[in-house]
Amino acid sequence: MPAESASNTALLAVAREIALAAGALAKERREEGVEVAASKSSAEDVVTFADRETEALIRSLIAEARPNDGFFGEESGAEAGSSGLTWVVDPIDGTVNFLYGIPHYAVSIAVVEGEPDPGTWRALAGVVVNPASGELFTAAAGTGAFLGERAIRVAPAVDLSQGLVGTGFAYLAGIRTEQAAIVGGLIHQVRDIRRMGAASLDLCAVACGRLNAYYERGLNPWDHAAGALIATEAGARVSGLRGAAVSREFILAAEPAMAARLEHVLLGLGA
Ligand code: IPD
Ligand code: CA
Ligand code: CA
């Protein structure tokens, strides 16, 4: 194995252990019953005590294992390191599912090199674990993507009319209305639409062929950092629109020919 892949694999091993510990904590808290701690960008955008506690655990385990690396998490913010690497963390992706007891939420942890900006960073390792199902998705740059021990690949391109397409909606009602209008224009052109409620798992669903494509507007870096690497390593094109890098503006992930087909239609709908 080339030296760089070996060091990415070593980072992945650290990320995997931390994600599994965090997933166990989140699952335990879910079983005990979940309480909302506060709301954020809107009344619908909530944070539970478990989100904060899970991120605190992840942050302390990273500080112990990798004291010179930076941290960028949804609930506790950013802190630069001195190594050039940053850990990008969503402690519970799919918080609304978590709150309602829908067993589809994830711990998402990525290690990136460069500025903690998805437009320029290079993702080195990523883990997405769904504690409720026990599924563990992983990737280290240059070494492929895995579901547990099994190597995964995106589904081959199909005609858009046969494509199962995942998406998500923002917490702000005005943006959600605009997103719904685009779904309204798309839904009769595809097999069907899925809104499963955890962006990291949507990206992993593309990676293992459970979705033909996924797109969303308005994601934050921690929502996609790990899942985008897993989808890329599984053969997806993961990008913004019109050749742009992934950003808060847009993310689209699918097998490359499939991505081009969906992008064409989305642009026609004003995405
Ligand atoms: C949300 C989920 C959801 C997506 C939203 C995200 P959170 O993350 O990933 O699927 O549609 O855009 O904000 O708030 O549950 O961590
Ligand atoms: Ca999230
Ligand atoms: Ca979250």
Side-chain angles (χ1 to χ4, degrees):
M1 191 186 282
E4 192 193 297
S5 300
S7 67
N8 293 344
T9 305
L11 285 168
L12 177 58
V14 176
R16 183 197 289 114
E17 286 316 303
I18 295 175
L20 288 172
L25 173 66
K27 188 171 181 225
E28 200 179 309
R29 292 293 177 265
R30 177 54 252 174
E31 282 159 8
E32 289 164 5
V34 173
E35 265 182 75
V36 170
S39 56
K40 299 192 282 188
S41 65
S42 70
E44 296 82 6
D45 182 6
V46 296
V47 56
T48 72
F49 290 105
D51 292 78
R52 289 178 177 167
E53 194 188 355
T54 305
E55 181 157 319
L57 174 69
I58 295 169
R59 196 166 182 156
S60 70
L61 292 174
I62 292 169
E64 214 173 280
R66 304 275 315 173
N68 299 323
D69 295 351
F71 183 85
F72 183 27
E74 176 171 18
E75 310 302 345
S76 63
E79 188 182 334
S82 56
S83 65
L85 304 187
T86 302
W87 292 68
V88 184
V89 171
D90 192 340
I92 299 180
D93 184 40
T95 288
V96 175
N97 286 347
F98 183 74
L99 184 64
Y100 280 73
I102 298 170
H104 191 79
Y105 61 92
V107 175
S108 171
I109 301 182
V111 192
V112 306
E113 184 175 53
E115 291 299 309
D117 170 351
T120 56
W121 76 33
R122 205 163 72 83
L124 304 181
V127 180
V128 175
V129 59
N130 175 348
S133 69
E135 286 191 322
L136 174 72
F137 294 89
T138 57
T143 67
F146 293 83
L147 166 50
E149 298 297 314
R150 178 169 69 84
I152 50 175
R153 288 299 292 171
V154 290
V158 292
D159 191 84
L160 195 58
S161 65
Q162 299 303 303
L164 186 62
V165 178
T167 191
F169 298 100
Y171 286 114
L172 298 173
I175 296 177
R176 225 162 39 223
T177 304
E178 292 170 16
Q179 290 171 316
I182 298 217
V183 169
L186 181 64
I187 196 159
H188 64 277
Q189 304 195 51
V190 296
R191 180 188 293 275
D192 206 347
I193 297 284
R194 292 289 179 271
R195 194 296 189 242
M196 299 191 283
S200 60
L201 289 171
D202 291 330
L203 287 160
C204 293
V206 169
C208 68
R210 291 177 187 166
L211 288 175
N212 295 103
Y214 160 73
Y215 76 91
E216 188 164 347
R217 170 183 159 195
L219 284 193
N220 286 300
W222 48 80
D223 296 315
H224 61 71
L229 176 64
I230 293 165
T232 303
E233 286 290 324
R237 186 192 103 185
V238 184
S239 69
L241 294 174
R242 299 183 191 84
V246 172
S247 72
R248 282 196 174 84
E249 291 297 310
F250 216 83
I251 185 168
L252 193 166
E255 185 280 335
M258 192 74 204
R261 286 170 204 170
L262 178 60
E263 178 176 9
H264 178 75
V265 171
L266 287 170
L267 287 173
L269 291 168

